[in-house]
Every structure is written in structure tokens, then in C-alpha cells.
Amino acid sequence: MMSLMKDITLRNAEQLGATIRLKRKEKGFSQSKLAELLGVERKWVLHLEAGNPKAELGLVLRALNTLGIRASLSDDERPPFREHRRVSTSRLDEVFRRLQRPVRK
């Protein structure tokens, strides 16, 4: 089944919650099933989908990964020189590579 989702810019927790709810339903998961996969209570999923701005970031990222949602960050400001952007991106990529940890099972 092809996803109805496309690249979107999220501006708040409510939009993130709605996106997660849509993807969960596309995958045919109940809130209880997603909660089970994440190791949380159903209530946590309910609050996340309602736009809880205080949801634990690590669990939010795990939920996105579990649902197959790709998240990306971008800088709204454009640097004056193209070369500057390339250098910044490569430095950020290096930081991310160093932060990667093996997935725990």
C-alpha cells in the first residue's frame, strides 16, 4: 500500500501528533499495538497523537522510526556562500556519525 504522506514541514506538536496518528492508521496499528511496540502505555500514544509538547524526545523518535516516518531538520536561513553550507553540512554529518550508537534489542 502506498502511503498518502508526503514531505511536509511541521510547525508544532499538534501537527506532529496528527502525522503520527495518520501513519499509525495507514499501517493498521491500534494505539495499543503502537504502545506495545514502543514499550509504553497506550495513554502515552494517546497524548502524543493529541500533540503533547512535553513528550520525551527519545520516545518520539522511536515512534517515528517504528512507523517508518523519516524526520529531517533544515535551517531556514540561507548562508551567504554555497561553500559555507557544504562545510556546515559535512561538520554536522560528522557529529551525527560520532553520535550513532548500535541499536539495542
Side-chain angles (χ1 to χ4, degrees):
M1 174 175 148
M2 180 165 232
S3 176
L4 301 174
M5 293 184 67
K6 59 182 179 181
D7 286 349
I8 55 173
T9 301
L10 299 176
R11 300 277 181 216
N12 56 50
E14 290 81 12
Q15 291 174 341
L16 177 62
T19 301
I20 288 171
R21 181 174 38 256
L22 174 66
K23 192 65 171 184
R24 174 183 58 77
K25 288 181 176 185
E26 279 184 7
K27 291 200 166 274
F29 292 165
S30 65
Q31 287 177 335
S32 296
K33 177 63 177 176
L34 180 57
E36 178 186 326
L37 293 170
L38 298 175
V40 298
E41 294 181 11
R42 180 184 163 272
K43 185 176 182 178
W44 187 88
V45 174
L46 180 84
H47 289 298
L48 176 64
E49 291 183 355
N52 178 7
K54 295 181 180 181
E56 183 182 332
L57 180 59
L59 284 174
V60 172
L61 293 172
R62 191 178 332 156
L64 295 174
N65 186 53
T66 299
L67 294 169
I69 299 173
R70 176 183 47 87
S72 64
L73 303 173
S74 66
D75 188 349
D76 281 344
E77 295 180 32
R78 296 181 186 236
F81 303 107
R82 195 174 197 142
E83 289 74 27
H84 176 69
R85 185 174 184 104
R86 228 179 281 137
V87 170
S88 296
T89 301
S90 65
R91 286 182 185 156
L92 190 55
D93 287 341
E94 180 58 34
V95 169
F96 285 167
R97 273 194 292 278
R98 282 185 285 185
L99 290 175
Q100 286 181 341
R101 293 184 257 167
V103 177
R104 291 187 286 192
K105 293 184 179 185

